[in-house]
Amino acid sequence: MSGSSIGVLFKVTTWGESHGPATGAIVEGCPPGIDLIEEDVQKVLNKRKPGTIASSSPRKEEDVVKILSGTFQGKTTGTPISLIIQNTNVDSNAYEDIKDIFRPGHGDYTYFKKYGIRDYRGGGRASGRETAARVAAGAIAGKIISREGMEIIAYTKALGGIVIKLDRDGAKKISREDIAENSLMCPDKDAAREMEAKLEEARRSGDSLGGIVEIIVRRCPPGLGEPVFDKMDADLAKALMSIGTVKGVEIGAGFKVAEMTGSQANDPITPDGFLSNHAGGILAGITTGQEIVIRVACKPIASIAKVQQTINERGEPVEISIKGRHDVSVIPRIIPVCEVMVSIVLADHLLRQKAL
Amino acid sequence: MSGSSIGVLFKVTTWGESHGPATGAIVEGCPPGIDLIEEDVQKVLNKRKPGTIASSSPRKEEDVVKILSGTFQGKTTGTPISLIIQNTNVDSNAYEDIKDIFRPGHGDYTYFKKYGIRDYRGGGRASGRETAARVAAGAIAGKIISREGMEIIAYTKALGGIVIKLDRDGAKKISREDIAENSLMCPDKDAAREMEAKLEEARRSGDSLGGIVEIIVRRCPPGLGEPVFDKMDADLAKALMSIGTVKGVEIGAGFKVAEMTGSQANDPITPDGFLSNHAGGILAGITTGQEIVIRVACKPIASIAKVQQTINERGEPVEISIKGRHDVSVIPRIIPVCEVMVSIVLADHLLRQKAL
Amino acid sequence: MSGSSIGVLFKVTTWGESHGPATGAIVEGCPPGIDLIEEDVQKVLNKRKPGTIASSSPRKEEDVVKILSGTFQGKTTGTPISLIIQNTNVDSNAYEDIKDIFRPGHGDYTYFKKYGIRDYRGGGRASGRETAARVAAGAIAGKIISREGMEIIAYTKALGGIVIKLDRDGAKKISREDIAENSLMCPDKDAAREMEAKLEEARRSGDSLGGIVEIIVRRCPPGLGEPVFDKMDADLAKALMSIGTVKGVEIGAGFKVAEMTGSQANDPITPDGFLSNHAGGILAGITTGQEIVIRVACKPIASIAKVQQTINERGEPVEISIKGRHDVSVIPRIIPVCEVMVSIVLADHLLRQKAL
Amino acid sequence: MSGSSIGVLFKVTTWGESHGPATGAIVEGCPPGIDLIEEDVQKVLNKRKPGTIASSSPRKEEDVVKILSGTFQGKTTGTPISLIIQNTNVDSNAYEDIKDIFRPGHGDYTYFKKYGIRDYRGGGRASGRETAARVAAGAIAGKIISREGMEIIAYTKALGGIVIKLDRDGAKKISREDIAENSLMCPDKDAAREMEAKLEEARRSGDSLGGIVEIIVRRCPPGLGEPVFDKMDADLAKALMSIGTVKGVEIGAGFKVAEMTGSQANDPITPDGFLSNHAGGILAGITTGQEIVIRVACKPIASIAKVQQTINERGEPVEISIKGRHDVSVIPRIIPVCEVMVSIVLADHLLRQKAL
């Protein structure tokens, strides 16, 4: 059954395969009267574009978004917004050779087991390309939450084992400008340089690298999140874990809480606010008004040139070396994807709170 | 709006406050013709009962579950199953003194911000007591998935900084019996002894401890999970993060993937199966047929005797020392809760796959 | 899968079988801070009670509702409200004789075909008793919409072929008091007398009667209803058709529109409002601010003393004469059920509009 | 919030405005491995095309559907199917004159009240054009139910006050060929001739006509429909009432049940099946295996040349005479729309039953 929608009041449904004619999204529940033109969406979509940095593939994705419904004279009308991105620059021939082979680390095997049929070209629906539709839809969510004064900052926290040096207070001061300074969207310049070297090394050896993205939400009002299952952190965890590359999500102190005592972990409250933020801005599933702090672990890109052991659809052993135009790391291109997933969850919960 | 339901086809809705007359759950979508009597549910519910171990509170919760609908002559009928657990042994007087005080680390502050009104007695809806209803409902999910041959094993991976020693192969061999051997549900006896000592120390100092629970699903068929948002790992992350105490969720290698290369992280496939399981049994959001491996980080219990700084509803600073019958750690009582949340997600996805 | 819930933001889930221990409902999404005590619900529930009139059964249903969650100190808290009504005065022995026989006009046959198992006692889940839970839940919806100034009036429009005489203007002036004047909730006294005679005649011949209920919503604000599938009239039609007895639903001029021309059917608009209301208060699925006018056709009660032809579970022909305590018509007891179903839909759409 | 989706497991979401660049639908939950090419959808879509008959407008809608996702090599893959129909032959100039005027019988007034903004060109989202997307999506539902042997027949039952003469047995024998014989899709030739005359008369006088469509589902298996709110008849009522033109829905004997006694209305059961079908193939919300019989009342088309009284956005009285290319009756073009709405509900419930 259907699993291609997310959100209750602000709902995003994506569709499309990597090498089909197009990919797109329907945004339902966007309030009427919001300024929205294609350029607003295009700007965000461009952030996902492959750049010239070491981690990204030479493939040119010219993603041009069109708005097909839901706006009139530059404003949203309250009806569903249909977004479409044509798939251009697609070369499916590269996949003919491996059309019956399950690439390790990819969804080839599981899609085949689930559906008994699969579009093998470019990963089909399981391709990272699906995130283009998310980003387009999330750009609209971003407009809703920024209307309320919220801001989302996301950056490279770690890549290939290199971790940025930044105390919590440091994170508080990071600006979009700081992140934009280097192509890895990493606020620590020294770390960024080391990461670039690691990427180059991986590329040369036909391998790929994993990393960690940190996402900060600023000026989120308190009171968002719905007990008991649709907690803010639960919905964020789902939204982020639904990105193909993500294998772990943590909020605030995250896995470190396992080593803390209650007197360390509890954030004291004073008339001037909380004295710390181990909770990451969420208590009992509801936002506190502090910064929301989230980290996600991204696995290395599965498509590598190095020879790997696998099987084909007939169960026979084969060796595979994946050529073609692949990134060395999902970082930094995954960062805008993380941002929009958080935007979508926040926009949804904002509307849910309005209906209270 | 409503956030008290989880699941699409196998749907659980819980209700109830800690000090209200009762708590309970509705289970919708349970297939007809499954053997189900109250004792089946009671047995699972008993696992959540406070024990005699160092980590648990002296409060006696006599949780007795009643089935009010949805079964006939010992079998499910396909109609909603209503489960109720009376709240007994409740003493609300203890909360009169702190009724306008926001306990640090609790939902007091956020519920007040969200709703403008809150049942302050025992944490109201935000109480850990709400998990009793989850466990009762999850017991039914457990019957559905064990019918398909699946088994869930969950145990203490870490507590108060003590981590069990167990290689991945070790985890493969852990049996329910191994876990039951000690009161902490910890398969490493030596670590368990150290944990007990840590717990005793924390209790004496009026503090509490966090930990990590690992959950293993065995014999899960391949093909479960719905791209792209209702991925198996996304739904598991949400279900587990919706437990009040959880601040992080990871699948398979989890956060370790951030330091791995693609050639390390990808699990090679052979005619005899996968050679490793860094994916944790899930690829592209769909189960591979391998063991599903999940870890969750649990924060220390927020109610501690140590004096803490906070404010009251009028914004005035106050000090608080929380007396009363509180556990020192959510471990091991949270373990059956983790198990049932995983059961609910699996049961739901099993039914979703049947509808394909 | 689950079909026991209705509503998106204001959501009602009912559970319970006719002869099980209890029946009940969960109300999710009720805004916090609304005055609510058991008596508020009980008062509405009492309207559904069998009376002393000719149409009603001598069975005494002492329906006493309990609120188990979601309120604190007489106010709603925003969390799920659990309502329970114990099943008392239940005698299942009467059903032993017909436990493997499919009663004509009942759900016996279809439940058996669907689930392969059925609780034959008193119709199980398909019993009219299920509506008690709807009425209890709907009482809360009623509080929400009356807060906004709305009023729902429902009455007997026809019974056993006797139709009330009342021009549309007449309907505009009907008050709750007019309806309460006779036991059939019929605003036309002369018609009511004829209906009573018809009922008595049907009772004597061991038969039952159908009828029509008209429901008027006053002071509904314009703008409620969601294009294109969740139109106000679409959701009302579903809610009302979900009552077991209802075989037809019409809005405004209803089936009469089939014989009208556009110039007759269109309601002219003037600066002082609409000049007619053939639309029944809904245009393009959205309320106009006029009265919402709905009629539902109720079939005769299926349980009759007259001998009927049927089969048993083995497919053998049998004759059946249903003894026991049965009403002669669902009217007037179905009237409060119709009212609450409309209340639930309106409350849901009110909240949906708030989230816009 | 969002109301543009229908169905739980087989889910259709439509988008698009009458004079926007395109309109379309996403179909989620379609099982994998079903043969599906654009021509399959186009064939059904063509049935909705304006014809040469008296009731239809001279506007030429060249609706060409494209499948953008969800199929591979002529088969469905289990992923969302995106359907798009470009809006061609659109002339928005005609609407400039009435852009601030609320046309009587249209959604102009209510959309404005709801959203505060509206796309006035051609009715925007409230246009009958939206049904093109439904028909395209419903064509896929049709494939699913015909795989199970079901057949849907829909025809003109009444138009402009002329009712076809056909006993119930007659309806049993109507074939698609009988209906196709005349352009009104009316199985009674004599009635069809009278209807044509009525249509011509209405056209000449600048007016429009209402009618009744009857829909018959043959060979529907027993057991479909979900108690208690998602009953088959409840979901059919919603689906059909969601068509803009529909003001009433009845099942089986429909409103006639109001005049029947129980002994007349109950359908006797014999070893060879039911002896009558007043229930219209649905008992207690679940299909019996008999023919499902539904009738819907369609209002006259609201756009008429006759002068009507109305107001503009500033509340000033104006007169309006709607010129342009409008049909005289929604019949017969609404008939394929009714068919697909029934197909969608049946496909959804088929999948829901599979998940039981």
Side-chain angles (χ1 to χ4, degrees):
Chain A
M1 67 149 297
S2 158
S4 290
S5 296
I6 192 161
V8 176
L9 292 189
F10 184 87
K11 187 161 71 169
V12 171
T13 305
T14 72
W15 55 268
E17 278 79 34
S18 180
H19 286 225
T23 187
I26 309 295
V27 175
E28 294 173 85
C30 181
I34 296 180
D35 291 323
L36 183 70
I37 55 173
E38 279 164 359
E39 204 192 327
D40 296 325
V41 181
Q42 189 66 51
K43 251 190 298 185
V44 181
L45 196 57
N46 288 346
K47 291 204 235 169
R48 196 190 150 276
K49 215 159 61 170
T52 54
I53 57 157
S55 71
S56 96
S57 91
R59 170 178 174 184
K60 261 203 155 62
E61 289 186 33
E62 284 297 343
D63 285 343
V64 179
V65 71
K66 289 281 163 206
I67 298 180
L68 298 179
S69 67
T71 63
F72 184 56
Q73 299 177 337
K75 282 187 190 297
T76 59
T77 59
T79 61
I81 302 168
S82 177
L83 302 163
I84 190 168
I85 303 163
Q86 300 295 330
N87 285 335
T88 56
N89 194 24
V90 164
D91 176 14
S92 304
N93 289 328
Y95 293 91
E96 282 304 307
D97 289 349
I98 54 168
K99 72 178 177 183
D100 67 343
I101 296 177
F102 304 127
R103 293 167 299 163
H106 275 286
D108 300 342
Y109 178 79
T110 52
Y111 268 67
F112 186 69
K113 285 288 179 183
K114 181 175 191 67
Y115 297 114
I117 180 176
R118 67 192 176 93
D119 182 347
Y120 54 76
R121 302 165 307 165
R125 181 90 179 124
S127 167
R129 174 137 194 84
E130 182 265 333
T131 60
R134 299 186 184 212
V135 171
I140 299 172
K143 295 210 80 169
I144 293 174
I145 66 167
S146 63
R147 252 196 342 172
E148 306 281 331
M150 286 187 249
E151 181 192 33
I152 300 181
I153 295 275
Y155 46 80
T156 301
K157 174 91 177 180
L159 200 161
I162 316 294
V163 185
I164 64 169
K165 269 156 211 112
L166 214 67
D167 50 31
R168 173 92 352 257
D169 269 6
K172 273 194 194 150
K173 293 173 210 141
I174 297 173
S175 68
R176 286 198 164 273
E177 289 65 40
D178 293 334
I179 297 164
E181 260 182 24
N182 63 73
S183 59
L184 283 175
M185 302 192 69
C186 173
D188 173 342
K189 285 181 218 178
D190 300 332
R193 257 190 307 271
E194 288 183 69
M195 290 170 185
E196 296 266 12
K198 274 272 190 182
L199 282 170
E200 193 45 44
E201 183 192 319
R203 176 188 303 283
R204 269 199 309 265
S205 61
D207 217 330
S208 61
L209 296 178
I212 293 175
V213 173
E214 187 160 64
I215 308 130
I216 310 282
V217 184
R218 288 170 181 160
R219 295 183 297 281
C220 177
L224 304 189
E226 302 292 328
V228 295
F229 294 114
D230 295 354
K231 289 188 164 89
M232 177 58 81
D233 36 359
D235 276 357
L236 287 169
K238 170 167 177 161
L240 290 161
M241 195 73 100
S242 79
I243 303 171
T245 191
V246 173
K247 298 301 282 184
V249 179
E250 57 179 13
I251 308 288
F255 273 85
K256 290 230 175 82
V257 292
E259 299 161 25
M260 296 167 91
T261 63
S263 58
Q264 291 165 341
N266 287 346
D267 301 307
I269 321 178
T270 75
D272 302 321
F274 293 85
L275 292 188
S276 56
N277 190 14
H278 299 114
I282 301 169
L283 272 175
I286 304 171
T287 56
T288 63
Q290 292 178 280
E291 283 189 345
I292 301 176
V293 181
I294 317 157
R295 275 173 306 281
V296 299
C298 301
K299 67 175 191 175
I301 278 179
S303 291
I304 54 175
K306 272 199 176 167
V307 174
Q308 297 179 87
Q309 215 176 327
T310 188
I311 59 172
N312 61 21
E313 290 187 5
R314 291 174 304 284
E316 299 157 348
V318 288
E319 289 200 329
I320 188 169
S321 161
I322 300 166
K323 304 297 186 328
R325 309 164 300 176
H326 296 285
D327 292 346
V328 179
S329 175
V330 294
I331 289 175
R333 291 184 67 198
I334 204 68
I335 292 177
V337 182
C338 294
E339 279 186 24
V340 297
M341 292 314 295
V342 172
S343 295
I344 289 168
V345 171
L346 288 170
D348 188 37
H349 277 283
L350 254 178
L351 299 185
R352 290 170 80 161
Q353 182 68 2
K354 279 178 71 179
L356 207 68
Chain B
M1 68 148 297
S2 158
S4 290
S5 296
I6 193 162
V8 176
L9 292 189
F10 184 87
K11 186 161 71 169
V12 171
T13 305
T14 72
W15 56 267
E17 278 81 34
S18 179
H19 288 223
T23 188
I26 309 295
V27 175
E28 294 173 85
C30 182
I34 296 180
D35 292 322
L36 184 70
I37 56 173
E38 282 164 356
E39 205 191 328
D40 296 324
V41 181
Q42 189 65 51
K43 251 190 297 186
V44 181
L45 196 56
N46 288 347
K47 292 203 235 167
R48 196 189 150 276
K49 214 160 60 170
T52 54
I53 56 156
S55 72
S56 97
S57 91
R59 171 181 176 183
K60 263 206 152 60
E61 288 185 35
E62 285 297 343
D63 285 343
V64 179
V65 70
K66 289 280 162 206
I67 298 179
L68 297 178
S69 68
T71 63
F72 184 57
Q73 298 178 336
K75 281 187 190 300
T76 58
T77 60
T79 62
I81 302 168
S82 178
L83 302 162
I84 191 168
I85 304 163
Q86 300 294 329
N87 284 334
T88 56
N89 194 25
V90 165
D91 175 15
S92 304
N93 289 328
Y95 293 90
E96 282 305 306
D97 288 350
I98 56 168
K99 72 178 177 183
D100 68 344
I101 296 177
F102 303 126
R103 293 167 299 163
H106 275 284
D108 299 343
Y109 178 79
T110 52
Y111 267 67
F112 186 69
K113 285 288 178 184
K114 181 175 192 67
Y115 297 114
I117 180 176
R118 66 189 176 96
D119 181 348
Y120 52 78
R121 301 165 308 165
R125 180 87 178 127
S127 168
R129 173 136 196 85
E130 182 266 332
T131 59
R134 298 186 184 210
V135 171
I140 298 171
K143 294 209 80 166
I144 293 173
I145 65 166
S146 63
R147 250 197 340 173
E148 306 282 329
M150 285 188 250
E151 180 192 34
I152 299 181
I153 295 274
Y155 46 81
T156 302
K157 174 92 177 180
L159 200 162
I162 315 296
V163 185
I164 64 169
K165 268 156 211 113
L166 215 67
D167 48 32
R168 173 97 345 263
D169 269 7
K172 273 197 194 146
K173 293 174 207 139
I174 296 174
S175 68
R176 286 199 164 270
E177 289 66 38
D178 293 335
I179 297 163
E181 261 182 22
N182 64 73
S183 58
L184 283 174
M185 302 191 69
C186 174
D188 173 342
K189 284 181 216 175
D190 298 334
R193 258 190 305 273
E194 287 183 71
M195 290 171 185
E196 296 265 13
K198 273 272 189 181
L199 281 170
E200 192 46 43
E201 184 192 319
R203 177 188 302 284
R204 269 197 309 265
S205 62
D207 218 329
S208 61
L209 296 178
I212 292 174
V213 172
E214 187 160 65
I215 307 129
I216 310 281
V217 183
R218 289 174 179 157
R219 294 184 297 282
C220 178
L224 305 190
E226 302 291 327
V228 293
F229 295 114
D230 295 354
K231 288 187 163 91
M232 177 58 81
D233 36 357
D235 276 357
L236 287 170
K238 171 167 177 162
L240 289 161
M241 196 71 102
S242 80
I243 304 172
T245 193
V246 173
K247 298 301 283 184
V249 180
E250 56 179 15
I251 308 288
F255 274 85
K256 290 229 177 85
V257 292
E259 300 161 25
M260 296 168 90
T261 63
S263 57
Q264 290 164 341
N266 287 346
D267 302 307
I269 320 179
T270 75
D272 302 321
F274 292 85
L275 292 187
S276 57
N277 190 13
H278 299 114
I282 301 170
L283 272 175
I286 304 172
T287 56
T288 61
Q290 291 179 280
E291 283 190 346
I292 300 175
V293 181
I294 317 156
R295 276 172 305 282
V296 298
C298 302
K299 68 175 190 175
I301 278 179
S303 292
I304 54 174
K306 273 201 175 164
V307 173
Q308 296 179 89
Q309 216 175 326
T310 189
I311 59 171
N312 62 22
E313 288 187 6
R314 290 174 305 284
E316 300 157 348
V318 289
E319 290 199 327
I320 189 171
S321 161
I322 299 166
K323 306 293 188 325
R325 309 165 300 177
H326 296 286
D327 292 346
V328 179
S329 176
V330 294
I331 288 175
R333 289 184 66 198
I334 205 68
I335 293 177
V337 181
C338 294
E339 280 186 21
V340 297
M341 292 315 295
V342 172
S343 296
I344 289 168
V345 172
L346 289 170
D348 189 36
H349 277 282
L350 254 178
L351 298 185
R352 290 170 82 162
Q353 182 67 4
K354 279 178 70 179
L356 206 67
Chain C
M1 67 149 296
S2 159
S4 289
S5 295
I6 193 162
V8 176
L9 292 190
F10 183 87
K11 188 161 71 170
V12 171
T13 304
T14 72
W15 55 267
E17 278 81 32
S18 180
H19 287 224
T23 187
I26 309 296
V27 175
E28 294 173 85
C30 182
I34 296 181
D35 292 323
L36 184 71
I37 55 173
E38 281 164 357
E39 205 191 327
D40 296 324
V41 181
Q42 189 66 49
K43 251 190 299 186
V44 182
L45 196 57
N46 288 346
K47 292 205 236 168
R48 197 190 149 276
K49 210 158 68 168
T52 54
I53 56 154
S55 72
S56 96
S57 93
R59 171 178 174 184
K60 263 203 153 62
E61 287 186 35
E62 286 295 345
D63 284 344
V64 179
V65 71
K66 290 280 162 209
I67 298 178
L68 298 178
S69 68
T71 64
F72 184 56
Q73 298 178 336
K75 282 187 190 299
T76 59
T77 59
T79 61
I81 302 169
S82 178
L83 302 163
I84 190 168
I85 303 164
Q86 300 293 331
N87 285 335
T88 57
N89 194 25
V90 165
D91 176 14
S92 304
N93 289 329
Y95 292 90
E96 283 304 307
D97 289 349
I98 55 168
K99 72 178 178 182
D100 67 344
I101 296 176
F102 303 128
R103 292 167 300 163
H106 274 285
D108 299 342
Y109 178 79
T110 51
Y111 268 67
F112 186 69
K113 284 289 178 182
K114 182 176 191 65
Y115 297 114
I117 180 177
R118 68 191 175 95
D119 181 348
Y120 53 77
R121 302 165 308 165
R125 181 89 178 124
S127 169
R129 175 138 194 84
E130 182 265 332
T131 61
R134 298 186 184 211
V135 171
I140 298 171
K143 295 209 81 169
I144 292 173
I145 65 166
S146 62
R147 250 194 347 169
E148 305 282 330
M150 285 187 250
E151 181 192 34
I152 299 181
I153 295 276
Y155 46 81
T156 302
K157 174 90 176 181
L159 200 161
I162 317 294
V163 184
I164 64 169
K165 267 153 212 116
L166 215 67
D167 50 30
R168 173 92 353 262
D169 269 9
K172 272 194 193 149
K173 292 172 207 141
I174 296 174
S175 67
R176 285 198 165 270
E177 288 67 39
D178 293 334
I179 296 164
E181 259 182 23
N182 63 71
S183 58
L184 283 174
M185 303 191 69
C186 174
D188 174 341
K189 284 182 218 176
D190 298 333
R193 259 190 306 270
E194 286 183 70
M195 289 170 184
E196 295 267 11
K198 274 272 190 180
L199 282 170
E200 191 47 43
E201 186 191 316
R203 177 188 302 285
R204 269 199 309 265
S205 63
D207 218 328
S208 61
L209 296 177
I212 293 174
V213 172
E214 187 160 65
I215 307 129
I216 311 281
V217 183
R218 289 173 179 158
R219 294 185 296 282
C220 178
L224 305 190
E226 301 292 327
V228 296
F229 294 115
D230 296 355
K231 288 187 164 87
M232 177 58 81
D233 36 357
D235 276 357
L236 286 170
K238 171 167 177 163
L240 289 162
M241 196 72 101
S242 80
I243 304 172
T245 192
V246 173
K247 297 301 282 184
V249 179
E250 56 178 15
I251 308 287
F255 273 86
K256 290 229 176 84
V257 292
E259 299 161 25
M260 296 167 91
T261 62
S263 58
Q264 290 165 342
N266 287 348
D267 302 306
I269 322 178
T270 76
D272 302 321
F274 292 85
L275 291 187
S276 57
N277 190 12
H278 299 114
I282 301 169
L283 272 175
I286 304 172
T287 56
T288 62
Q290 292 179 279
E291 282 189 345
I292 301 175
V293 181
I294 317 156
R295 277 173 305 282
V296 299
C298 302
K299 68 175 190 176
I301 278 179
S303 293
I304 54 174
K306 272 198 175 167
V307 173
Q308 297 179 88
Q309 216 176 326
T310 190
I311 58 171
N312 62 22
E313 289 187 5
R314 290 174 303 286
E316 300 157 346
V318 289
E319 290 201 328
I320 188 169
S321 161
I322 301 167
K323 304 296 187 326
R325 308 164 301 176
H326 296 286
D327 292 346
V328 179
S329 176
V330 293
I331 289 176
R333 291 182 67 196
I334 204 69
I335 293 177
V337 181
C338 293
E339 279 186 24
V340 297
M341 292 315 295
V342 172
S343 296
I344 289 168
V345 172
L346 288 169
D348 189 37
H349 278 283
L350 254 179
L351 298 185
R352 291 170 80 161
Q353 183 67 3
K354 280 178 70 179
L356 207 66
Chain D
M1 70 149 295
S2 159
S4 289
S5 295
I6 193 162
V8 176
L9 292 190
F10 184 87
K11 187 161 72 170
V12 171
T13 304
T14 72
W15 56 267
E17 278 80 34
S18 180
H19 287 225
T23 188
I26 310 295
V27 175
E28 294 173 85
C30 182
I34 295 180
D35 291 323
L36 184 70
I37 56 174
E38 281 164 357
E39 204 191 328
D40 297 324
V41 181
Q42 190 66 49
K43 250 190 297 184
V44 182
L45 196 57
N46 288 347
K47 292 204 234 168
R48 195 190 150 276
K49 212 161 62 171
T52 53
I53 57 155
S55 71
S56 96
S57 93
R59 170 179 176 183
K60 264 204 150 61
E61 288 185 34
E62 286 296 344
D63 286 343
V64 179
V65 70
K66 289 279 163 208
I67 298 178
L68 298 178
S69 67
T71 62
F72 184 57
Q73 299 177 336
K75 283 187 189 298
T76 59
T77 59
T79 62
I81 302 168
S82 178
L83 302 163
I84 190 168
I85 303 163
Q86 300 294 329
N87 285 334
T88 57
N89 194 25
V90 165
D91 175 13
S92 305
N93 288 328
Y95 293 91
E96 282 305 306
D97 289 348
I98 56 168
K99 72 179 179 183
D100 67 344
I101 296 178
F102 303 127
R103 293 167 299 163
H106 274 285
D108 299 343
Y109 179 79
T110 53
Y111 268 68
F112 187 69
K113 285 289 178 181
K114 181 176 192 67
Y115 297 115
I117 179 176
R118 67 191 175 93
D119 181 348
Y120 53 77
R121 302 166 305 166
R125 180 88 178 126
S127 168
R129 174 137 194 85
E130 181 266 333
T131 60
R134 299 186 184 210
V135 171
I140 298 171
K143 294 209 80 168
I144 293 173
I145 65 167
S146 63
R147 251 198 339 175
E148 306 282 330
M150 284 187 252
E151 181 192 32
I152 299 181
I153 295 275
Y155 47 81
T156 302
K157 173 91 176 182
L159 200 161
I162 316 296
V163 185
I164 63 170
K165 268 156 212 112
L166 216 66
D167 48 31
R168 173 94 351 260
D169 268 9
K172 275 195 193 149
K173 292 172 209 141
I174 297 174
S175 67
R176 285 198 165 271
E177 288 66 38
D178 293 334
I179 297 163
E181 260 182 23
N182 64 72
S183 59
L184 284 175
M185 301 191 70
C186 173
D188 173 341
K189 286 181 213 176
D190 299 333
R193 259 189 305 271
E194 288 183 70
M195 290 170 184
E196 296 266 12
K198 274 271 189 182
L199 282 170
E200 193 46 42
E201 184 192 320
R203 175 187 304 282
R204 270 197 309 264
S205 63
D207 218 330
S208 60
L209 296 178
I212 293 174
V213 173
E214 187 161 64
I215 308 129
I216 310 281
V217 183
R218 290 175 179 154
R219 295 184 297 281
C220 178
L224 304 190
E226 302 291 327
V228 296
F229 294 114
D230 295 355
K231 289 187 163 89
M232 178 57 81
D233 36 359
D235 275 357
L236 287 170
K238 171 167 177 163
L240 289 163
M241 196 71 102
S242 80
I243 304 172
T245 193
V246 174
K247 297 302 282 183
V249 180
E250 56 179 15
I251 307 287
F255 273 85
K256 290 230 177 80
V257 293
E259 299 161 26
M260 296 168 91
T261 62
S263 58
Q264 290 165 342
N266 287 346
D267 302 308
I269 321 178
T270 75
D272 302 321
F274 292 86
L275 291 187
S276 57
N277 189 12
H278 299 115
I282 302 170
L283 272 175
I286 304 171
T287 55
T288 62
Q290 292 178 279
E291 282 190 346
I292 301 176
V293 180
I294 317 157
R295 275 174 305 282
V296 299
C298 302
K299 68 174 190 176
I301 279 179
S303 292
I304 55 176
K306 273 199 176 167
V307 174
Q308 297 179 88
Q309 218 177 325
T310 189
I311 59 172
N312 62 22
E313 290 188 4
R314 292 174 303 285
E316 300 156 349
V318 289
E319 289 199 329
I320 188 169
S321 161
I322 301 166
K323 304 295 186 329
R325 310 165 299 178
H326 296 286
D327 293 345
V328 179
S329 176
V330 294
I331 288 175
R333 291 183 66 199
I334 205 68
I335 292 177
V337 182
C338 294
E339 279 187 22
V340 297
M341 292 315 295
V342 172
S343 295
I344 290 168
V345 172
L346 288 170
D348 189 37
H349 277 284
L350 253 179
L351 298 185
R352 290 169 80 161
Q353 182 68 3
K354 278 178 71 179
L356 205 67

